[in-house]
Amino acid sequence: MRAIILAAGSGTRLSPLTDACPKCLVPVGASPMIDYQVRALRQAGVDDIAVVVGYRQLQVRAHLGRGVRYVENPDYASTNSIYSLHLAAPLMDTAMFLFNCDIVFHPRILGRLLESPAPDAVAVDQSAPLVAGEMNVAYGPDRRITAISKQVPVA
């Protein structure tokens, strides 16, 4: 099992926290956001972790060290996470987790995903309010996802 963490963007919506620090290294509580993901992945037995870097990538590399592999997005300032994922496409040859670097979650969620009979399971916090312009999820009565997008209407 592999994980790809998209961490190339500059995180402008978190400015001024990201003016001198990449979004994935912004602390939440006692640790940078990405540490929660890496720790949860390792607890779940996922040791093959790739991080797509761009903005202030030297800080990310210095923080994470040699314990992960890196994919570089040199065009991070003019592209988006889909392009970062495209750059990591050669690593998508096996079952994998995919994360944006700014998602903090309880480690048990990974265990539940690993136990899921669905080969393409997605974890969604149904208690979180939908916010216009943020990544939202829409699904039908059968609980199948119909859309994941920043354009999903809040209504």
Side-chain angles (χ1 to χ4, degrees):
M1 176 73 57
R2 174 174 295 146
I4 297 173
I5 301 173
L6 305 176
S10 58
T12 56
R13 288 179 291 175
L14 288 180
S15 181
L17 298 174
T18 54
D19 291 350
C21 170
K23 178 168 56 173
C24 68
L25 296 183
V26 169
V28 172
S31 299
M33 283 189 272
I34 200 165
D35 286 2
Y36 292 100
Q37 290 183 357
V38 170
R39 202 168 24 245
L41 286 162
R42 290 197 172 127
Q43 286 175 5
V46 179
D47 289 320
D48 186 356
I49 301 170
V51 180
V52 183
V53 294
Y55 176 72
R56 300 198 179 269
Q57 68 169 297
L58 295 179
Q59 289 180 27
V60 179
R61 290 174 185 262
H63 180 78
L64 293 176
R66 297 180 186 264
V68 301
R69 66 170 97 187
Y70 298 95
V71 175
E72 184 178 343
N73 179 352
D75 299 319
Y76 68 87
S78 62
T79 61
N80 58 27
S81 59
I82 296 300
Y83 184 72
S84 288
L85 182 60
H86 165 73
L87 294 173
L91 302 177
M92 293 188 276
D93 60 349
T94 185
M96 60 174 236
F97 287 110
L98 173 63
F99 297 106
N100 288 318
C101 70
D102 57 353
I103 305 298
V104 178
F105 55 88
H106 195 284
R108 280 186 272 176
I109 291 173
L110 291 182
R112 292 184 66 192
L113 287 169
L114 286 168
E115 294 168 2
S116 172
D120 54 357
V122 175
V124 176
D125 182 354
Q126 294 178 330
S127 67
L130 298 180
V131 178
E134 295 294 325
M135 193 63 72
N136 291 312
V137 178
Y139 52 94
D142 61 355
R143 299 182 56 106
R144 291 188 180 266
I145 292 174
T146 58
I148 300 177
S149 171
K150 290 181 179 181
Q151 284 75 41
V152 169
V154 172

